[in-house]
Amino acid sequence: MLKSKTFVKKTRSGGVMKVVREHYLRDDIWCGSEVCTECKQESTVLQKDACMESSLCSYPHYLVPDTNVVLHQVVKSDIKFLQTIEYDTFIEREPGESANDRNDRAIRVAVKWYSQHLKTFESDTDGLKVVLLTNDQGNKQKAQDNGLLVYKCEEYVKSLIANPELVDRLALSSDDKNEITSSKVLFPEHLPLSRIQTGIKSSSFLQGTFRASRDNYLEATVFVQGEGEDSTEVLIQGLQNLNRAVHQDVVAVQLLPRSEWVAPSSVVLQDEGTAKDDEDAEEEEGKVTAVEAARKPTGKVVGIIKRNWRPFCGMLNVSQIKESTRHLFTPADRRIPRIRIETRQASTLSGQRIMVAIDGWPKDSRYPNGHFVRSLGGAGEKDTEEEVLLLEHDVPHQAFSQAVLSFLPKMPWAITPEDMMKREDLRPLTVCSVDPPGCTDIDDALHCRELENGNLEVGVHIADVSHFIRPGNALDKEAANRGTTVYLCGKRIDMVPELLSSNLCSLRSNVDRLAFSCIWEINHKAEILKTRFTKSVINSKASLTYAEAQMRIDDTNKNDDITKSLRGLNKLAKILKRQRIEKGALTLSSLEVRFHMDSETHDPIDLQTKELMETNSMVEEFMLLANISVAQKIYDEFSECALLRKHPAPPPSNYDILIKAAKSKVKIHTDSAKALADSLDAAKVDGFPYFNTLLRILATRCMMQAVYFCSGMDSDFHHYGLASPIYTHFTSPIRRYADIIVHRLLAVAIGADTTYPDLMDKHKQSALCNNLNYRHKMSQYAQRASVAFHTQLFFKSRGILNEEGFVLFVRKNAIIVLIPKFGLEGTVFFDSKDKVSPNIVFEEEGPTLSVEQHKFHIFDKVKVTISLDDSNIQHQKIRMALIEPVIPGVSVPAPDTERPAKKQKLDH
Amino acid sequence: MAGLELLSDQGYRLDGRKATELRKLQARMGVFTQADGSAYLEQGNTKALAVVYGPHEMRGSRSRTLHDRAVINCQYSMATFSTAERKRRPHGDRKSTEMSLHLKQTFEAAVMTQLYPRSQIDIYVKVRVGLTLHLVRGIIAEIDFFVIVHKHVSIVFQQILQSDGGNYSVCVNAATLAVIDAGIPMRDYVCACTVGFVDETPLADLCYAEENGGVSSLALALLPRGGQIALLQMDARLHQDHLETLIEAAMTACKGVSKVLDEVVRQHLQEASVLTGE
């Protein structure tokens, strides 16, 4: 049936115009119920026996939730939503009726239609009924007048017999909010959106992302993105000024007059208050009178533009009052305030990691109100902690869905003749792969052979993942979303399903595999004479570990093809590396640790820093070469939409700490990457062999993040760290999505594959880059967090240890110490709550910290005792205390560190 | 994307149609007695009146005469009241000149012009956007209007009376019926349809809101029986990989249109034969 919608609209120039639109009312939208025989449904989403035991409705029923219910609740998924552009349920808006009322009425009509519709199949429905859920009093009343079954959401959920815990998950609705809080208004009112908008337009307010401070719950910054490149940060201090903003919210801030600007405090302050402290919340912080220069623009939050709440992981602080159902919840992320929730299962939930969602933050409440979502498991357990870690870092880690798996190749898989047609057969070549031990996702392999003209042919063969992952399908979308494989200690969260990552794409030895090869002709001076790219089929002759490869190279008795090939590669790699360093590439250092895992319990039993061998750098060198060659090729071919990677040069001020720290010993030049690299090489202190590594670690911290970008959206391509004018990622398509895109681009460039629209759309590419950069960052954080957690587990089993370390940074009230043996960094605090703090003097120039008589510099050697502090189960941490130098009243006597007998047994 | 969601998750468009569904199409032939052939066609809210004169001797400059076939002269105009904003549209503005040219090309491909050397066929189309009048009443009102206009200006109308998107295709469809009504032989019906591309899905027969919603749209005129394309026009950006699917969708839509037109013609013939008593 055709209806026309007519409405009057005001045009921009002030005229009035009448718009007529057609509206086709359909009679082919089916009810979707299994019991219905009249409708010709394609798929039935509503089962016949959709049944939840409820004391209110003892018959089977379908639920129709009102939108206000759905928006505010995370209710179970057995609620079905209905579309109503249908013929029977279309209603005309009555004159004078608001849009909201019309929607309510539409829902009522829909429910009525459904119940009547189902009644026609009375015989086989077992009295199936339709129940409307709403939170709107008026709507409920009207629905009852119409003779419909209607309940308030809360009534309904409470009546569910099978799942009493569901009640906890109900969001606190506005009606009963009042009783929770005292009448005292703690926060200023948020401004309405309209006033915020005018304020932003007239630039009396600024809009930005709210970032709570990790260390101080009374402090935050708002990151304001300015026009173009420049952006400012506004400091916010004090509960009142923070005004209920939560980390990551988009807020409007008003700047305070210049006289009230303050400097960020470097004091660590944690919200230790309990549930009762609504009144004593005004812990005014002693305002530090800072030097004028250190003062930053300071402001206050006047309104929230967009909340960015997600379910938070954390733990419950059970209320001291028995039988109380209201408890405070402490999120794992310290930047999130504590949340008040209502639950009846406090006793079971205490000691567990749980997820909680925020429902709202009324102005008279010290804490936001929330509700319980689900439990993750016991705190401190490995699985639970890993889950928390992944959730907190937003790492997608669910099992792959059926839709995704359906795009995998059918097993048994074999290379078809069609595949061979388009590919070069490189199976006769002596290709081998070199990887860390235990690696199952081998994405690169190498070969090297002498040509008849005396030159060398070197090939880098990369797993051809883009052959299996076709653009646009569910598998591709999932991989694009995940962005990268995340490696945790003893666990890997794959970007692509295991069949691909560890089997079909993995370039294992002695099987035929599809590859994308980059082949150079190189002379003995490592000058590249020819480069070509081709899709190929290879058969790797050996999968070696770095150590095995190294042994083969070193063993003069071995002279087989593989070894010869390796030697050739190694020789070239050394020359390439030298050339690269001459151009100014930086060799930076960061300590990476490896855990030896117990094979049964998966607990860490030993910890060692990763060793670097010649072969590591050999593989790395050729990967860099391949990446650079490919980057140049795809940029030449697609100047607008090549996906590249850049590493911006850090602003000079980043190096201040490095220059200051090294000042007493050597001079560091930071004018260019080359100068920095040279001065780092020259920096050696006699009798202090570790000094150079320390400097490099420090230099690494000065660097910027390398990022992916789309060549059409940026003009600066330079990679600072590698001193290369252009760079991309091509060599690890199994674990990085960026490489898959680069593979596709390269395949199009050499005519091996066809293009697709999104590949050529620079805006879509750019959006993809943003996601990839975000995922990479998060995966790094997750990796670090996982290492930290395993370090804790390790020290838990080890007891107390004494170790030597070096001062890496000096802070106002602490020094940060690096233990090279474990690659572990820890903070030694000099002021603690229970003790009288010693006389501490901090000097910015230096920077040095004088504690009593002793003065700490960066790079000083210290001895510390390491133990695990598990007083706070949620944030277990490594505690370090000073042993040497001995400072009376500060350092602790060296405790006996008998190694537990258990360790001896496991350490073979 | 700005503002409107043109295709919902459930696969319905703004006006409740599915992606491949056409708008309601109604037509009548022989609505205008002075002319040799005429037709009135409504496709959704877009309404057009097409009038055909000829074939007749060349008028105006004789130099345009072609010795082996007939000259087709098309003129397109839009009624002042045809869009939501009342705007005076002077004759010979760029848009209508372009549209006239497109129509001319389309019909040169379809009409068997070689049968009428040294002569001329005039096709006038007028599009109107107005309020919904019932089919017959609408025509009458419109005809009155034309007559008045006609007295002053010598040539008017193939007229879009009301425009709600797809002007070109509606004109072609109306003109086809008018040419048939005039009894001029054609190779086949010429059916036209616009298609747009949203969320990787081709949408058939765009309405005005969709055309203006940032959709890359394509107009296609087809001789359905042979599957020949008489005209293909597109001035938006589209990735070439999508072109094929889009043309495919347009052709299916055109075939749908041709079915309706065929029915109209058959019905008209039946009515005519009843009237003439055969």
Side-chain angles (χ1 to χ4, degrees):
Chain A
M1 192 175 89
L2 188 67
K3 275 251 175 200
S4 65
K5 280 199 272 197
T6 313
F7 53 95
V8 180
K9 200 165 88 175
K10 202 172 160 197
T11 58
R12 207 172 291 166
S13 56
V16 171
M17 72 185 202
K18 193 166 190 178
V19 177
V20 184
R21 276 210 195 121
E22 287 180 296
H23 192 72
Y24 290 85
L25 298 181
R26 310 192 67 95
D27 53 4
D28 62 346
I29 297 176
W30 315 124
C31 70
S33 170
E34 259 178 20
V35 292
C36 182
T37 48
E38 193 182 75
C39 300
K40 308 170 209 58
Q41 4 237 358
E42 284 130 36
S43 62
T44 49
V45 280
L46 301 173
Q47 299 97 344
K48 194 171 181 174
D49 47 355
C51 183
M52 292 260 290
E53 290 289 322
S54 163
S55 56
L56 267 180
C57 328
S58 48
Y59 33 80
H61 54 278
Y62 293 147
L63 285 178
V64 184
D66 194 351
T67 35
N68 59 20
V69 177
V70 182
L71 282 180
H72 299 139
Q73 314 280 356
V74 189
V75 197
K76 284 199 78 179
S77 58
D78 56 339
I79 290 171
K80 310 292 191 284
F81 220 151
L82 316 160
Q83 255 293 314
T84 50
I85 347 175
E86 204 171 354
Y87 177 62
D88 306 271
T89 53
F90 180 77
I91 56 164
E92 195 96 42
R93 197 155 142 187
E94 280 170 9
E97 192 178 35
S98 77
N100 206 350
D101 287 345
R102 196 213 82 107
N103 290 344
D104 284 349
R105 195 154 58 87
I107 291 170
R108 288 199 300 275
V109 173
V111 171
K112 191 162 195 176
W113 178 82
Y114 250 85
S115 39
Q116 272 163 5
H117 181 72
L118 290 175
K119 231 175 241 165
T120 44
F121 314 103
E122 199 70 76
S123 52
D124 41 39
T125 53
D126 316 319
L128 198 58
K129 285 187 184 155
V130 181
V131 175
L132 175 66
L133 280 191
T134 178
N135 272 347
D136 183 337
Q137 200 62 48
N139 194 7
K140 185 183 171 188
Q141 192 56 48
K142 279 183 191 151
Q144 270 168 344
D145 295 347
N146 285 354
L148 301 175
L149 280 168
V150 59
Y151 298 108
K152 283 193 97 175
C153 187
E154 213 177 323
E155 294 172 335
Y156 178 79
V157 175
K158 277 189 183 147
S159 74
L160 294 177
I161 295 158
N163 315 55
E165 78 280 358
L166 269 182
V167 182
D168 290 349
R169 305 204 194 167
L170 273 178
L172 296 171
S173 66
S174 50
D175 312 351
D176 39 45
K177 219 181 284 171
N178 311 334
E179 38 182 296
I180 297 176
T181 49
S182 56
S183 53
K184 195 172 155 195
V185 175
L186 285 166
F187 296 101
E189 188 88 59
H190 285 152
L191 294 180
L193 207 56
S194 55
R195 279 195 55 198
I196 292 176
Q197 274 162 348
T198 43
I200 289 172
K201 252 184 208 155
S202 62
S203 53
S204 55
F205 299 153
L206 295 168
Q207 177 179 346
T209 318
F210 184 88
R211 290 184 188 162
S213 156
R214 218 177 262 276
D215 302 323
N216 186 341
Y217 78 103
L218 288 175
E219 193 174 286
T221 51
V222 171
F223 186 79
V224 180
Q225 186 76 47
E227 303 255 315
E229 286 297 291
D230 66 322
S231 50
T232 46
E233 277 193 343
V234 179
L235 187 72
I236 305 201
Q237 265 188 354
L239 219 48
Q240 295 276 317
N241 290 345
L242 295 174
N243 199 2
R244 292 171 283 160
V246 178
H247 185 63
Q248 289 293 346
D249 285 349
V250 180
V251 296
V253 286
Q254 185 176 26
L255 284 181
L256 295 173
R258 200 168 268 271
S259 56
E260 288 175 42
W261 286 12
V262 290
S265 63
S266 44
V267 181
V268 176
L269 203 58
Q270 270 178 41
D271 188 1
E272 305 281 2
T274 54
K276 291 170 288 178
D277 70 355
D278 286 21
E279 279 77 45
D280 55 18
E282 302 91 41
E283 309 147 38
E284 270 306 301
E285 200 197 321
K287 291 236 169 79
V288 198
T289 40
V291 260
E292 194 65 31
R295 288 194 182 181
K296 279 187 154 188
T298 310
K300 61 174 183 190
V301 174
V302 292
I304 309 280
I305 294 162
K306 188 172 162 272
R307 288 288 193 189
N308 228 337
W309 291 342
R310 58 187 171 95
F312 300 104
C313 299
M315 288 183 72
L316 202 64
N317 299 10
V318 179
S319 161
Q320 273 100 345
I321 312 156
K322 272 188 189 160
E323 286 122 33
S324 165
T325 54
R326 292 191 184 118
H327 307 276
L328 266 186
F329 160 85
T330 313
D333 190 340
R334 275 197 226 112
R335 292 168 296 191
I336 307 296
R338 296 200 278 171
I339 303 164
R340 185 187 285 106
I341 65 167
E342 197 169 337
T343 175
R344 262 161 246 185
Q345 317 161 66
S347 50
T348 37
L349 290 182
S350 69
Q352 284 192 355
R353 293 274 194 174
I354 58 172
M355 282 181 91
V356 161
I358 303 185
D359 298 324
W361 197 340
K363 65 173 184 280
D364 46 5
S365 160
R366 171 76 173 77
Y367 296 108
N369 294 323
H371 66 272
F372 167 72
V373 178
R374 72 187 172 105
S375 166
L376 301 169
E381 282 167 29
K382 240 182 93 185
D383 293 342
T384 316
E385 295 302 324
E386 240 158 34
E387 175 97 11
V388 169
L389 204 140
L390 293 171
L391 283 170
E392 280 299 303
H393 292 96
D394 195 15
V395 176
H397 59 283
Q398 312 79 1
F400 289 97
S401 70
Q402 214 52 47
V404 170
L405 295 176
S406 70
F407 287 98
L408 291 177
K410 299 278 168 298
M411 292 303 278
W413 174 86
I415 297 172
T416 62
E418 292 102 80
D419 290 341
M420 287 305 293
M421 295 263 285
K422 295 181 218 134
R423 287 165 188 274
E424 213 165 308
D425 189 356
L426 300 179
R427 282 178 289 191
L429 290 178
T430 318
V431 175
C432 66
S433 62
V434 184
D435 285 286
C439 177
T440 58
D441 48 351
I442 305 170
D443 38 24
D444 49 78
L446 296 155
H447 89 269
C448 173
R449 64 170 180 178
E450 198 146 333
L451 295 174
E452 279 162 13
N453 60 9
N455 290 333
L456 293 168
E457 183 193 79
V458 176
V460 166
H461 311 276
I462 307 298
D464 192 6
V465 181
S466 61
H467 175 83
F468 297 101
I469 302 184
R470 301 310 300 166
N473 66 25
L475 178 57
D476 182 49
K477 282 182 185 143
E478 180 70 26
N481 180 37
R482 294 191 179 211
T484 173
T485 294
V486 181
Y487 294 87
L488 303 181
C489 299
K491 196 176 178 182
R492 191 176 82 195
I493 317 293
D494 277 324
M495 180 182 81
V496 296
E498 197 176 357
L499 177 67
L500 289 181
S501 67
S502 307
N503 187 354
L504 297 185
C505 290
S506 181
L507 302 175
R508 297 190 293 185
S509 52
N510 301 319
V511 280
D512 289 354
R513 286 286 176 258
L514 303 179
F516 208 144
S517 303
C518 175
I519 298 169
W520 302 278
E521 194 180 324
I522 298 181
N523 64 16
H524 287 273
K525 286 184 218 144
E527 286 162 354
I528 296 168
L529 306 172
K530 247 190 246 165
T531 310
R532 76 189 170 94
F533 307 98
T534 177
K535 291 229 172 186
S536 62
V537 182
I538 61 160
N539 188 324
S540 169
K541 300 291 177 290
S543 325
L544 306 172
T545 63
Y546 290 121
E548 281 168 4
Q550 188 67 51
M551 261 153 55
R552 273 174 184 259
I553 293 172
D554 295 342
D555 187 350
T556 43
N557 296 330
K558 282 211 163 176
N559 263 319
D560 53 309
D561 280 351
I562 297 174
T563 313
K564 271 198 252 170
S565 166
L566 284 172
R567 286 199 190 118
L569 288 169
N570 198 27
K571 205 182 90 197
L572 285 174
K574 280 183 188 162
I575 308 173
L576 284 169
K577 184 166 187 182
R578 207 179 56 226
Q579 287 175 350
R580 209 160 53 81
I581 287 172
E582 272 164 20
K583 271 195 257 165
L586 295 173
T587 340
L588 299 173
S589 181
S590 62
L591 286 174
E592 283 187 74
V593 286
R594 245 190 111 72
F595 290 95
H596 286 268
M597 298 288 199
D598 187 303
S599 54
E600 278 149 38
T601 60
H602 295 286
D603 286 334
I605 48 178
D606 200 3
L607 185 119
Q608 71 180 103
T609 49
K610 276 182 190 163
E611 278 178 66
L612 288 179
M613 274 174 277
E614 235 176 31
T615 40
N616 287 57
S617 108
M618 173 187 93
V619 173
E620 190 191 330
E621 216 54 53
F622 284 103
M623 294 307 132
L624 291 177
L625 192 62
N627 285 338
I628 294 170
S629 300
V630 170
Q632 193 59 50
K633 174 80 182 171
I634 58 173
Y635 178 64
D636 289 347
E637 204 77 22
F638 307 104
S639 59
E640 279 294 290
C641 55
L643 192 151
L644 302 175
R645 190 167 171 85
K646 70 170 175 184
H647 183 206
S653 61
N654 274 22
Y655 287 123
D656 286 355
I657 182 86
L658 180 68
I659 297 173
K660 272 187 201 164
K663 196 170 53 186
S664 58
K665 297 185 175 73
V666 290
K667 188 148 176 55
I668 302 284
H669 300 277
T670 58
D671 322 333
S672 67
K674 170 92 176 123
L676 178 65
D678 288 346
S679 44
L680 282 178
D681 286 341
K684 288 207 174 72
V685 174
D686 289 336
F688 191 1
Y690 205 67
F691 176 69
N692 193 276
T693 317
L694 278 176
L695 262 189
R696 287 183 199 275
I697 292 174
L698 215 52
T700 314
R701 308 272 163 103
C702 303
M703 294 298 155
M704 308 279 286
Q705 274 278 341
V707 288
Y708 296 110
F709 68 102
C710 173
S711 63
M713 306 291 276
D714 210 324
S715 54
D716 172 30
F717 295 177
H718 195 75
H719 197 290
Y720 181 80
L722 295 172
S724 168
I726 192 164
Y727 192 68
T728 191
H729 270 163
F730 168 73
T731 52
S732 301
I734 300 181
R735 58 187 179 87
R736 291 189 303 232
Y737 190 75
D739 301 51
I740 297 185
I741 294 288
V742 170
H743 273 229
R744 288 179 186 159
L745 285 167
L746 186 65
V748 176
I750 62 167
D753 208 339
T754 52
T755 166
Y756 60 100
D758 285 3
L759 194 64
M760 297 294 141
D761 185 332
K762 64 178 178 180
H763 297 285
K764 284 200 179 149
Q765 277 249 20
S766 191
L768 178 69
C769 287
N770 288 341
N771 180 46
L772 293 181
N773 288 330
Y774 170 73
R775 294 288 186 205
H776 269 265
K777 198 170 73 193
M778 283 334 243
S779 89
Q780 275 178 1
Y781 290 162
Q783 241 151 301
R784 269 181 232 163
S786 169
V787 169
F789 173 65
H790 279 81
T791 316
Q792 285 160 17
L793 280 185
F794 175 72
F795 282 105
K796 203 176 195 172
S797 62
R798 282 302 190 80
I800 296 166
L801 289 177
N802 297 331
E803 285 299 338
E804 268 186 9
F806 300 97
V807 178
L808 202 57
F809 292 106
V810 177
R811 294 267 186 265
K812 263 186 188 160
N813 58 351
I815 52 172
I816 293 170
V817 177
L818 175 83
I819 315 286
K821 187 174 171 192
F822 302 121
L824 176 74
E825 239 173 73
T827 314
V828 179
F829 287 101
F830 292 117
D831 53 348
S832 51
K833 275 180 218 113
D834 40 336
K835 272 195 288 184
V836 190
S837 53
N839 181 21
I840 307 175
V841 182
F842 177 73
E843 280 169 53
E844 195 103 28
E845 282 306 309
T848 58
L849 183 72
S850 307
V851 181
E852 299 292 336
Q853 293 82 31
H854 191 85
K855 203 171 198 178
F856 287 98
H857 296 87
I858 292 186
F859 302 137
D860 278 357
K861 198 179 211 175
V862 291
K863 209 167 205 183
V864 291
T865 154
I866 310 165
S867 60
L868 184 72
D869 177 6
D870 50 7
S871 54
N872 178 351
I873 190 151
Q874 179 143 248
H875 295 288
Q876 295 194 350
K877 53 193 168 199
I878 303 289
R879 188 206 291 274
M880 286 192 184
L882 197 64
I883 310 177
E884 264 174 46
V886 181
I887 304 171
V890 177
S891 59
V892 293
D896 293 334
T897 53
E898 278 174 39
R899 298 201 159 171
K902 184 175 140 213
K903 200 238 149 198
Q904 241 70 22
K905 193 182 71 195
L906 296 167
D907 210 15
H908 44 78
Chain B
M1 198 171 33
L4 293 167
E5 187 194 33
L6 294 175
L7 191 68
S8 72
D9 295 339
Q10 287 84 6
Y12 295 110
R13 289 155 67 174
L14 288 175
D15 50 10
R17 283 185 291 157
K18 285 192 177 166
T20 53
E21 286 172 345
L22 303 176
R23 287 178 289 178
K24 187 173 179 175
L25 207 156
Q26 293 171 293
R28 274 188 74 103
M29 292 163 73
V31 288
F32 211 39
T33 43
Q34 298 110 301
D36 294 314
S38 61
Y40 172 79
L41 186 130
E42 284 188 14
Q43 198 161 337
N45 278 341
T46 309
K47 297 163 192 188
L49 187 68
V51 184
V52 173
Y53 293 96
H56 52 72
E57 237 175 84
M58 287 300 293
R59 281 180 203 148
S61 79
R62 300 218 159 227
S63 56
R64 287 190 301 142
T65 315
L66 297 173
H67 295 277
D68 55 344
R69 56 194 160 96
V71 169
I72 292 185
N73 173 34
C74 283
Q75 209 148 94
Y76 163 88
S77 65
M78 251 171 122
T80 20
F81 48 85
S82 76
T83 48
E85 274 173 292
R86 210 168 242 269
K87 213 194 285 179
R88 237 196 101 56
R89 286 164 216 278
H91 248 289
D93 66 320
R94 271 182 194 225
K95 232 174 162 183
S96 40
T97 317
E98 190 195 2
M99 188 69 93
S100 306
L101 196 70
H102 285 151
L103 287 172
K104 186 180 148 118
Q105 286 168 350
T106 314
F107 280 93
E108 272 173 355
V111 174
M112 303 182 85
T113 45
Q114 73 275 17
L115 295 179
Y116 309 103
R118 299 164 167 277
S119 50
Q120 174 183 359
I121 300 169
D122 294 329
I123 303 174
Y124 303 128
V125 190
K126 183 152 190 149
V127 180
R128 187 192 81 166
V129 181
L131 303 176
T132 340
L133 293 168
H134 277 289
L135 196 54
V136 183
R137 268 214 295 141
I139 295 161
I140 293 168
E142 205 50 50
I143 289 170
D144 292 346
F145 170 77
F146 288 141
V147 173
I148 299 161
V149 178
H150 209 181
K151 278 180 186 157
H152 301 92
V153 197
S154 59
I155 323 161
V156 196
F157 23 148
Q158 164 168 356
Q159 310 224 339
I160 295 266
L161 306 180
Q162 174 171 346
S163 139
D164 187 21
N167 289 359
Y168 167 76
S169 39
V170 175
C171 283
V172 171
N173 297 337
T176 304
L177 292 182
V179 171
I180 292 172
D181 188 40
I184 301 170
M186 288 206 287
R187 292 185 176 84
D188 193 358
Y189 291 93
V190 207
C191 306
C193 197
T194 46
V195 279
F197 197 70
V198 171
D199 295 342
E200 319 279 297
T201 333
L203 303 185
D205 197 8
L206 300 182
C207 71
Y208 183 74
E210 288 168 333
E211 271 187 342
N212 278 18
V215 181
S216 20
S217 67
L218 168 148
L220 179 125
L222 186 78
L223 305 179
R225 225 166 306 167
Q228 293 130 314
I229 294 172
L231 188 111
L232 178 71
Q233 185 225 353
M234 177 163 155
D235 29 42
R237 277 172 74 107
L238 183 84
H239 193 275
Q240 67 171 31
D241 290 4
H242 292 318
L243 190 62
E244 198 110 335
T245 51
L246 206 51
I247 291 180
E248 201 79 11
M251 284 175 133
T252 342
C254 287
K255 281 174 189 158
V257 172
S258 91
K259 253 182 225 155
V260 181
L261 295 190
D262 191 53
E263 237 162 70
V264 171
V265 173
R266 280 172 203 283
Q267 204 195 333
H268 177 72
L269 277 179
Q270 206 162 24
E271 280 169 19
S273 55
V274 168
L275 280 178
T276 51
E278 280 172 30

